């Protein structure tokens, strides 16, 4: 095949340059991550069997509606895979209802709001500064649906909802829906403790499991659909190491509610539902049923070990009396290390990828005093407690001992060089950061 850069027209040659440059940039990104210590709590790596479906023909198709009731022809194989995906979801979470059509966690949240609330309704939730997702904000999904937040009381020491004070708020204000779930999610939420109050005021419980989905499935966190929530929404690519997608689960013996959730998913908030990612999700569910318990256990063990090691090196890790975390996430107040923004930037220069994060008590949303650290990805490539201690040492070298970023970056790359293959999936050992070169040559 002749490439445009040899014989093509001027626009073809120009655009071939653009395509080459995009490919090069993505390849550079992949090798950068291969050398780095990625600690973003909301990120993970896809298994090879899930990844190959992202470039399958499912990507090119439309399937509106439910399996067996589609608006387009040609969907028999899509139906088969989607039925499998739904069955696996229900088995993994031991629940009666699943919808795998929302294409992200935010879209799943919009669908739940559409199904269970009307504009003007009151919905219980947590404040952004206490770790809630922007879905709960007036400029996010809550605002789009026109619902009004009722904020729970917060226990900043224990980094969870203050149950007695929240009971009083719920009884006084009587929201229609109570949302549990966070983006800075260290400890389980008191769903079971608040369930009798929700029942008393006729409010439904809704759990946003975007961050902790893989931990719930792996039996390492709470089990909200069996503690008092009737619906759960999530994204599927954080502690559940699946594709970028969304999910709604339910466990109410209420077919009317299931139907409302289904019609909120389609035609409410989706048209097509990204069939290639749905197929990859089915594979990720199967792999989580096979390997998820061990993966979830190690992810939490690593987060606790990281918190402990940072604490021992003088970092202000939140919730020391509670073992720092029960999830995949650790929160560190870095006011003494220059604040969240400066610390996260300096860590990134040294090959350690984190994010600045608001913490309870922060006075300015523009100047977060924390960094959020997560162990889903480093666990996925096989790191364990020993490596968490080494990561804490790198933090200490960089942020306390002022060792140059270039030196810490080399040390981080050396540590990572032993951990570049995937674990806890079929095809384990496959290169985690591989660039799939389908074409075999440059344009
Ligand atoms: C609690 C919570 N809900 C929802 C979302 C949104 O998920 P997505 O990025 O898939 O839209 C996030 C994302 O980080 C989250 O933390």
């Amino acid at each position: 095949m002749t490439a445009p850069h040899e014989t093509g027209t001027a626009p073809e040659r120009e655009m071939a340059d653009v395509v080459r440059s995009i490919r090069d940039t993505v390849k550079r990104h992949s090798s950068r991550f291969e050398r780095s210590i990625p600690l973003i709590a909301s990120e993970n790596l896809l298994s090879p069997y899930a990844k190959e479906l992202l470039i399958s023909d499912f990507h090119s198709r439309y399937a509106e509606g439910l399996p067996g009731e589609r608006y387009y022809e040609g969907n028999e194989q899509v139906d088969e895979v989607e039925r499998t995906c739904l069955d696996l979801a229900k088995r993994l979470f031991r629940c009666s209802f699943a919808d795998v059509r929302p294409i992200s966690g935010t879209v799943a949240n919009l669908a739940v709001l559409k199904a269970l609330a009307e504009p003007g309704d009151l919905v219980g939730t947590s404040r952004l500064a206490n770790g809630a997702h922007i879905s709960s904000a007036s400029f996010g999904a809550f605002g789009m649906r026109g619902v009004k937040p009722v904020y729970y009381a917060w226990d900043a020491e224990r980094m969870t909802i203050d149950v007695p004070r929240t009971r009083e708020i719920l009884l006084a204000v009587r929201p229609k829906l109570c949302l549990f779930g966070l983006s800075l999610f260290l400890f389980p939420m008191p769903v079971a403790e608040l369930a009798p109050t929700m029942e008393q005021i006729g409010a439904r419980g809704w759990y946003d499991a975007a961050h902790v989905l893989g931990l719930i499935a792996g039996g390492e966190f709470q089990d909200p659909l069996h503690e008092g929530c009737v619906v759960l929404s999530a994204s599927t690519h954080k502690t559940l190491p699946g594709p970028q997608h969304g999910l709604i689960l339910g466990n109410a013996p209420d077919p009317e509610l299931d139907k409302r959730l289904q019609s909120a998913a389609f035609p409410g908030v989706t048209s097509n539902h990204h069939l290639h990612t749905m197929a990859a999700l089915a594979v990720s569910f199967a792999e989580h049923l096979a390997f998820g318990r061990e993966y979830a256990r190690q992810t939490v063990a690593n987060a606790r070990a990281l918190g402990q090691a940072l604490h021992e090196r003088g970092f202000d890790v939140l919730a020391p009396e509670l073992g720092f975390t029960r999830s995949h996430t650790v929160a560190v107040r870095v006011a003494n290390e220059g604040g969240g923004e400066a610390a996260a930037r300096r860590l990134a220069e040294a090959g350690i990828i984190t994010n600045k994060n608001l913490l309870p008590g922060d006075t300015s949303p523009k100047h977060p005093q924390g960094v959020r650290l997560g162990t889903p990805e480093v666990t996925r490539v096989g790191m364990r407690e020993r490596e968490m201690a080494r990561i804490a040492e790198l933090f200490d070298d960089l942020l306390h001992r002022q060792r140059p970023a270039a030196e810490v970056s080399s040390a981080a790359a050396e540590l990572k060089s032993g951990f570049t293959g995937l674990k806890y999936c079929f095809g384990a050992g496959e290169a985690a950061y591989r660039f799939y070169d389908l074409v075999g040559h440059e344009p």
Side-chain angles (χ1 to χ4, degrees):
M1 194 190 294
T2 318
H5 69 267
E6 290 162 6
T7 59
T9 62
E12 282 174 4
R13 288 200 304 273
E14 184 192 348
M15 288 307 126
D17 276 346
V18 172
V19 172
R20 274 199 300 279
S21 153
I22 294 168
R23 278 183 112 219
D24 286 348
T25 308
V26 174
K27 283 186 195 169
R28 263 192 289 119
H29 166 94
S30 302
S31 44
R32 173 188 175 198
F33 269 76
E34 186 167 31
R35 288 193 312 274
S36 72
I37 308 288
L39 294 174
I40 301 281
S42 53
E43 293 180 354
N44 212 324
L45 296 162
L46 208 49
S47 82
Y49 288 102
K51 211 171 191 178
E52 71 176 4
L53 297 175
L54 298 184
I55 46 174
S56 69
D57 188 72
F58 270 30
H59 168 265
S60 307
R61 306 299 155 204
Y62 257 75
E64 292 181 340
L66 288 166
E69 303 167 22
R70 304 290 194 194
Y71 287 82
Y72 298 178
E73 296 304 321
N75 286 151
E76 286 76 6
Q77 287 73 31
V78 172
D79 285 0
E80 201 175 315
V81 174
E82 190 163 325
R83 283 196 183 100
T84 303
C85 192
L86 292 167
D87 287 347
L88 290 169
K90 288 186 247 178
R91 189 166 148 193
L92 193 51
F93 295 94
R94 299 181 298 114
C95 64
S96 59
F97 171 82
D99 196 312
V100 290
R101 293 174 299 173
I103 56 171
S104 77
T106 303
V107 169
N109 285 348
L110 276 169
V112 172
L113 282 166
K114 185 169 189 311
L116 301 187
E118 300 292 331
D121 281 347
L122 300 175
V123 181
T125 189
S126 307
R127 290 184 189 276
L128 296 198
N130 294 333
H133 184 246
I134 46 175
S135 290
S136 293
S138 58
F139 51 82
F142 270 40
M144 286 176 72
R145 185 59 174 149
V147 299
K148 299 194 183 107
V150 171
Y151 294 117
Y152 305 138
W154 191 253
D155 181 339
E157 287 290 301
R158 305 180 67 78
M159 284 300 283
T160 191
I161 292 170
D162 178 320
V163 173
R165 287 197 292 139
T166 297
R167 265 194 203 118
E168 285 170 21
I169 294 169
L170 295 183
L171 289 170
V173 186
R174 305 178 81 86
K176 184 175 186 183
L177 198 56
C178 289
L179 169 59
F180 301 95
L182 300 165
S183 297
L184 182 69
F185 210 159
L186 304 183
F187 297 101
M189 306 229 92
V191 175
E193 291 89 326
L194 290 171
T197 313
M198 289 193 281
E199 202 177 327
Q200 198 180 336
I201 62 172
R204 284 190 166 118
W206 163 26
Y207 195 94
D208 179 345
H211 263 266
V212 291
L213 190 69
L215 306 183
I216 292 172
E220 284 293 326
F221 210 61
Q222 64 189 129
D223 190 359
L225 289 174
H226 300 93
E227 292 170 13
C229 284
V230 292
V231 62
L232 177 155
S233 55
S235 44
T236 54
H237 41 264
K238 298 177 178 160
T239 50
L240 187 102
Q244 297 267 345
H245 202 83
L247 169 72
I248 301 175
L249 302 173
N251 207 27
D254 182 354
E256 207 38 54
L257 177 71
D258 297 352
K259 273 207 199 100
R260 292 227 312 264
L261 290 165
Q262 279 174 332
S263 76
F266 171 84
V269 294
T270 64
S271 166
N272 196 25
H273 56 283
H274 299 187
L275 311 175
H276 54 313
T277 58
M278 180 277 293
L281 182 59
V283 167
S284 304
F285 284 155
E287 292 183 322
H288 214 70
L289 278 158
F291 307 103
R293 286 196 167 267
E294 182 52 23
Y295 172 65
R297 196 197 60 70
Q298 191 62 47
T299 300
V300 176
N302 280 351
R304 288 168 70 81
L306 182 60
Q308 178 67 35
L310 287 166
H311 174 73
E312 283 168 12
R313 288 183 176 274
F315 284 93
D316 183 2
V317 187
L318 268 56
E321 294 82 20
L322 300 172
F324 311 103
T325 184
R326 286 271 159 205
S327 75
H328 61 304
T329 301
V330 172
V332 188
R333 193 178 299 281
V334 285
N336 293 335
E337 288 82 9
E341 183 161 357
R345 192 164 296 157
R346 189 149 165 74
L347 285 162
E349 280 165 17
I352 301 170
I353 314 294
T354 66
N355 63 277
K356 62 185 173 199
N357 216 98
L358 279 181
L359 297 180
D362 275 0
T363 45
S364 160
K366 289 207 177 123
H367 300 290
Q369 292 303 307
V371 286
R372 184 184 68 168
L373 315 177
T375 53
E377 184 164 342
V378 288
T379 307
R380 185 87 162 134
V381 292
M383 290 193 184
R384 303 174 73 90
E385 288 84 342
R386 206 171 55 153
E387 286 73 38
M388 298 306 110
R390 179 76 184 112
I391 291 172
E393 193 181 340
L394 297 178
F395 271 67
D396 194 24
D397 285 348
L398 184 78
L399 297 177
H400 290 163
R401 297 174 195 278
Q402 311 309 330
R403 193 172 158 200
E407 278 180 28
V408 177
S409 169
S410 302
E414 195 187 320
L415 171 63
K416 188 69 179 305
S417 65
F419 299 92
T420 57
L422 287 159
K423 301 274 186 309
Y424 308 101
C425 57
F426 296 115
E430 173 80 12
Y433 300 90
R434 177 174 155 203
F435 179 88
Y436 284 74
D437 184 348
L438 282 185
V439 192
H441 55 78
E442 296 286 347

